[in-house]
Amino acid sequence: MKDEHRGRVTKDGIRIYEQGDFAGMHKAGELAALILDEMCERVVPGASTAELDDYIRGRVEEAGAKSATIGYRGYQHASCISVNHVVCHGIPGPKTLKDGDILNIDVTVIVDGWFGDSSRMYVAGKLSRKSERLIQVTHDALMAGIEAVKPGNTFGDIGFAIQQFVESHRMSVVRDFCGHGLGRVFHAPPNVLHYGRPGTGATLEEGMFFTIEPMVNLGRAETKVLADDWTAVTRDKSLSAQFEHSIGVTATGAEIFTLSPGGLFHPTFGS
């Protein structure tokens, strides 16, 4: 089954991209990751999330790229910045960061028509032990999910790997939000659940592009969306963390498009 874009589409509606398309995804992913690297020194107590977003907007424009989020369903910012108990889709604003705050910054850029989507965790000031544990488990859960990616495995295998790891540390996986297909569009099939049963869901094939982006709560998994229709928070006000990579399925596993150029994807504890 083909359409007017490129590659073919599986019976589950998942696009299979061609080998030459990997280069475009790497270029877009690298810009998103580079901008996130540059945020490391800017996340400090006293900085406002609006200031962080203004910097991101400027860097995207400077690079000759476009922000995928500005104008998306009425959203007007170049990033989502989710602080402490905000699970995802936090809207940048005047509120300033306090010592010990943890935050996820999520950036999606469009470079030559390809979408690069990534998010990672940051710490403003001194990190608490419980926040450190949460961030570490969330990071490692993402990597466990990526390890499960190879042709012949299923999306249920990815979700199971993440869920099993998180719950073994007595934390919970958010079920209300998921990863997604991308490429020349922002969101496309499949929905990449971060929980599941082995052997279920669509089968992975070489050439699939999608995000894996587990959200992990210290408390219960339930979330609610605030009156602004964007900001999702934990119902029990427990801390939440998230990491996200965009990946492509290769013949032997996964290729990560959004690797940090500076090796800064994981916060450096104790620095």
Side-chain angles (χ1 to χ4, degrees):
M1 177 178 171
K2 292 219 178 221
D3 72 7
E4 68 275 16
H5 295 290
R6 57 204 304 148
R8 65 181 176 87
V9 177
T10 72
K11 62 182 176 61
D12 299 294
I14 304 169
R15 181 168 306 284
I16 305 297
Y17 286 94
E18 299 165 356
Q19 189 59 47
D21 297 333
F22 279 70
M25 288 298 289
H26 272 293
K27 191 173 179 182
E30 183 176 4
L31 176 61
L34 176 63
I35 292 170
L36 289 176
D37 274 12
E38 294 172 2
M39 301 311 295
C40 293
E41 63 186 29
R42 291 170 172 81
V43 174
V44 294
S48 74
T49 54
E51 290 168 347
L52 300 179
D53 184 71
D54 285 344
Y55 178 84
I56 293 167
R57 183 189 299 257
R59 284 292 286 116
V60 172
E61 292 173 355
E62 183 182 307
K66 292 182 179 179
S67 167
T69 53
I70 296 175
Y72 179 77
R73 296 183 178 177
Y75 196 77
Q76 294 302 316
H77 302 275
S79 64
C80 293
I81 303 180
S82 304
V83 183
N84 292 332
H85 73 289
V86 178
V87 175
C88 60
H89 303 157
I91 302 174
K95 190 172 182 180
T96 56
L97 299 173
K98 301 189 300 295
D99 186 52
D101 280 348
I102 63 171
L103 55 151
N104 175 275
I105 302 180
D106 190 342
V107 171
T108 307
V109 298
I110 310 170
V111 178
D112 299 330
W114 296 100
F115 285 69
D117 187 1
S118 185
S119 81
R120 64 178 87 154
M121 294 301 295
Y122 299 83
V123 181
K126 185 172 174 57
L127 184 66
S128 72
R129 176 62 185 138
K130 68 178 181 178
S131 296
E132 180 177 335
R133 282 188 60 246
L134 172 64
I135 290 171
Q136 186 68 55
V137 167
T138 308
H139 173 274
D140 293 350
L142 168 61
M143 302 318 291
I146 293 174
E147 279 291 314
V149 174
K150 63 180 179 181
N153 277 4
T154 68
F155 283 95
D157 294 329
I158 298 172
F160 177 75
I162 293 168
Q163 180 183 5
Q164 183 182 52
F165 182 82
V166 170
E167 292 178 354
S168 74
H169 288 83
R170 299 185 178 181
M171 299 179 193
S172 59
V173 177
V174 171
R175 297 185 176 220
D176 297 333
F177 302 94
C178 60
H180 52 89
L182 82 170
R184 286 196 171 273
V185 292
F186 194 175
H187 295 105
N191 289 333
V192 183
L193 305 182
H194 304 117
Y195 60 94
R197 291 183 292 115
T200 63
T203 300
L204 296 164
E205 295 184 44
E206 184 178 0
M208 288 181 174
F209 295 166
F210 52 87
T211 70
I212 305 177
E213 47 184 295
M215 288 144 272
V216 176
N217 297 346
L218 266 181
R220 294 177 59 86
E222 292 82 8
T223 70
K224 65 178 179 180
V225 176
L226 301 184
D228 60 28
D229 289 332
W230 284 105
T231 308
V233 300
T234 55
R235 282 192 173 272
D236 61 7
K237 296 296 201 305
S238 63
L239 290 174
S240 187
Q242 179 186 17
F243 283 89
E244 174 185 16
H245 269 317
S246 295
I247 69 164
V249 183
T250 68
T252 57
E255 197 163 304
I256 301 174
F257 299 130
T258 46
L259 287 173
S260 163
L264 302 172
F265 186 69
H266 184 294
T268 304
F269 297 144
S271 63

